[in-house]
Amino acid sequence: MLALEREVDARGLLCPEPVLLTKRVLDNMNTGTVRVLVSNAAARENVSRLAENKGWRVDVSNQGDDILLTLTK
Amino acid sequence: MNKQRLLIIAAGGVLGLLAVILVKMGNPANMGYCIACFLRDTTGGLGLHRAAPVQYIRPEIIGLVLGAFIASQATREFRAVGGSSSFTRFTLGFFAMMGMLVFLGCPVRAVLRLAGGDLNAGVGLAGLVAGVAVGVWFLKSGFTLGRAVPQPKSNGYLFSAFMAVLFILLLAKPAFLFFSEQGPGSMHAPVWIALVAGLAVGALAQRSRLCMVGGIRDFIILRDGHLLYGFITIFVVALAGNLAVGAFNIGFTGQPVAHTDGLWNFLGMALAGWAAVLLGGCPLRQLVAAAEGNTDCAVTIIGLMAGAAVSHNFGLAASPDGVPLAGQIAVILGLLVVFAIGMVNRPAVVTGGVSFGKGS
């Protein structure tokens, strides 16, 4: 089975745009991996909360000054 | 209960409690904490408007910014960024303030007014929800003001430095500043208490991401009530505090620093809510983000202050007597401007074969 992978670049976007961009992707995927790049802690928390509420696992890592969220289900 | 939920409840609880205490210590009734009113007073204190009853450099604002700045430094969340449609943000801030000064308060004060029994605030909050809902439609249809990009750190420090300078001016009281001798501007808690209250709220707001407009917005878009916990806690704690100190007086008439014109209470806050959603958050959140180094949000605050200056210099702001005709026209104009900004900043809006906006 094909494992879907998507990337969302939400760097520099103010609340709630990172969440909305991520939501559009998650709404069209049942399983797979979504990598979301954000640039501030508020976006990290908001995207994490969205993904967890939808049943996705969230792994967080730093990428220089940015934050990479890896969402999997 | 997770840490984020505890933080948002703590931030709301502290703000609600301090609002009651600040009124007991001298602030105007139902105005323990109002971002719009305090930015308006500060604008007047600097002489940028000449409405004598509303001139004072409010330490609550200074403390809020410095508290958020210190918290963002301690957590390494400070990021100097900017370049995301700065003048559009200024314009949205400008008209949002006009709306708030027709209602006579920001979203925080709307909750505090309701907690004091002012039912006109309920009408204003209904307008706020309506404005947020319209703004959400624009967000869902792709509205964006574009990306902020990293800037030299010094850019991010300037706004907090400006607040520190304001505090020095407040203590020094040079002759070129203006301080009300009567009216709401003359009513204030002691400087150091107001500053400490601001520091506490600023630090907690930075850590919790407290945002009044964001709470309504997230509930409409995502059915996520996280930020609403802060909103509700402010109301519950302020209501309990007002009942405890005998400051609760339910009704529409005779409410402090308020008027009873429901239509303009509704439309004023609808304008504020709509503009705030497009800006990414309420005035409190804009102050916190500016303290975290976001220069676009700093420009938004200057827009709010410019809106306050124009509102009072040109007789647009409401008073307990009601809303002047010029203020009503300003709100309608503001709604049209915010609508236009919303339309042109959606991707690939096409009219008559001509594409405008930011493209997709």
Side-chain angles (χ1 to χ4, degrees), chain B residues 58-75:
Chain B
R58 291 279 178 183
E60 291 91 342
I61 295 286
I62 297 167
L64 192 149
V65 172
L66 296 181
F69 174 76
I70 292 165
S72 72
Q73 289 291 327
T75 56

Side-chain angles (χ1 to χ4, degrees), chain B residues 279-290:
Chain B
L279 284 164
C282 69
L284 183 149
R285 184 73 199 137
Q286 298 294 323
L287 281 170
V288 170

Side-chain angles (χ1 to χ4, degrees), chain B residues 308-342:
Chain B
V310 168
S311 286
H312 279 286
N313 281 336
F314 292 89
L316 313 179
S319 72
D321 296 331
V323 183
L325 177 62
Q328 298 173 14
I329 293 169
V331 168
I332 298 299
L333 181 64
L335 289 167
L336 291 172
V337 169
V338 175
F339 174 76
I341 288 173

Side-chain angles (χ1 to χ4, degrees), chain B residues 69-137:
Chain B
F69 174 76
I70 292 165
S72 72
Q73 289 291 327
T75 56
R76 299 179 182 275
E77 289 180 3
F78 180 90
R79 297 271 186 282
V81 297
S84 162
S85 307
S86 301
F87 191 66
T88 301
R89 291 182 188 277
F90 174 96
T91 306
L92 288 169
F94 181 88
F95 284 106
M97 179 60 95
M98 286 185 172
M100 289 186 281
L101 291 181
V102 160
F103 168 70
L104 290 173
C106 70
V108 175
R109 184 168 187 244
V111 175
L112 295 175
R113 280 174 57 175
L114 194 62
D118 179 353
L119 297 178
N120 300 296
V123 180
L125 282 168
L128 182 73
V129 172
V132 171
V134 175
V136 162
W137 181 85

Side-chain angles (χ1 to χ4, degrees), chain B residues 11-307:
Chain B
V14 168
L15 200 161
L17 182 64
L18 286 174
V20 175
I21 292 171
L22 287 168
V23 169
K24 287 300 286 180
M25 309 228 35
N27 277 11
N30 289 354
M31 206 186 288
Y33 227 108
C34 174
I35 307 301
C37 312
F38 292 176
L39 282 174
R40 181 267 325 272
D41 292 351
T42 301
T43 303
L46 293 170
L48 299 174
H49 72 67
R50 300 304 171 95
V54 284
Q55 296 173 324
Y56 178 58
I57 294 177
R58 291 279 178 183
E60 291 91 342
I61 295 286
I62 297 167
L64 192 149
V65 172
L66 296 181
F69 174 76
I70 292 165
S72 72
Q73 289 291 327
T75 56
R76 299 179 182 275
E77 289 180 3
F78 180 90
R79 297 271 186 282
V81 297
S84 162
S85 307
S86 301
F87 191 66
T88 301
R89 291 182 188 277
F90 174 96
T91 306
L92 288 169
F94 181 88
F95 284 106
M97 179 60 95
M98 286 185 172
M100 289 186 281
L101 291 181
V102 160
F103 168 70
L104 290 173
C106 70
V108 175
R109 184 168 187 244
V111 175
L112 295 175
R113 280 174 57 175
L114 194 62
D118 179 353
L119 297 178
N120 300 296
V123 180
L125 282 168
L128 182 73
V129 172
V132 171
V134 175
V136 162
W137 181 85
F138 280 87
L139 291 178
K140 283 185 168 178
S141 65
F143 174 88
T144 180
L145 290 178
R147 294 176 193 273
V149 295
Q151 297 195 338
K153 268 197 168 180
S154 56
N155 289 13
Y157 291 137
L158 270 179
F159 186 71
S160 296
F162 169 57
M163 288 293 152
V165 169
L166 281 184
F167 191 64
I168 294 167
L169 289 174
L170 173 63
L171 295 180
K173 290 189 167 52
F176 60 79
L177 294 183
F178 295 80
F179 293 96
S180 297
E181 293 179 359
Q182 56 183 5
S186 67
M187 303 167 69
H188 49 81
V191 169
W192 289 101
I193 289 172
L195 180 75
V196 170
L199 285 166
V201 172
L204 282 166
Q206 195 279 332
R207 297 306 305 131
S208 67
R209 330 292 179 203
L210 180 67
C211 178
M212 312 300 286
V213 162
I216 301 166
R217 176 201 64 206
D218 289 354
F219 188 76
I220 292 173
I221 298 178
L222 307 165
R223 294 289 179 265
D224 177 357
H226 174 73
L227 289 175
L228 276 182
Y229 278 90
F231 194 105
I232 293 165
T233 309
I234 293 172
F235 175 75
V236 170
V237 173
L239 176 63
N242 282 330
L243 287 168
V245 301
F248 182 79
N249 171 35
I250 195 163
F252 282 96
T253 57
Q255 296 293 340
V257 200
H259 60 78
T260 57
D261 194 329
L263 174 65
W264 295 102
N265 278 330
F266 184 94
L267 289 177
M269 281 308 264
L271 170 57
W274 187 359
V277 165
L278 301 189
L279 284 164
C282 69
L284 183 149
R285 184 73 199 137
Q286 298 294 323
L287 281 170
V288 170
E292 292 173 327
N294 190 314
T295 57
D296 295 323
C297 294
V299 172
T300 303
I301 301 301
I302 302 303
L304 288 165
M305 294 178 75

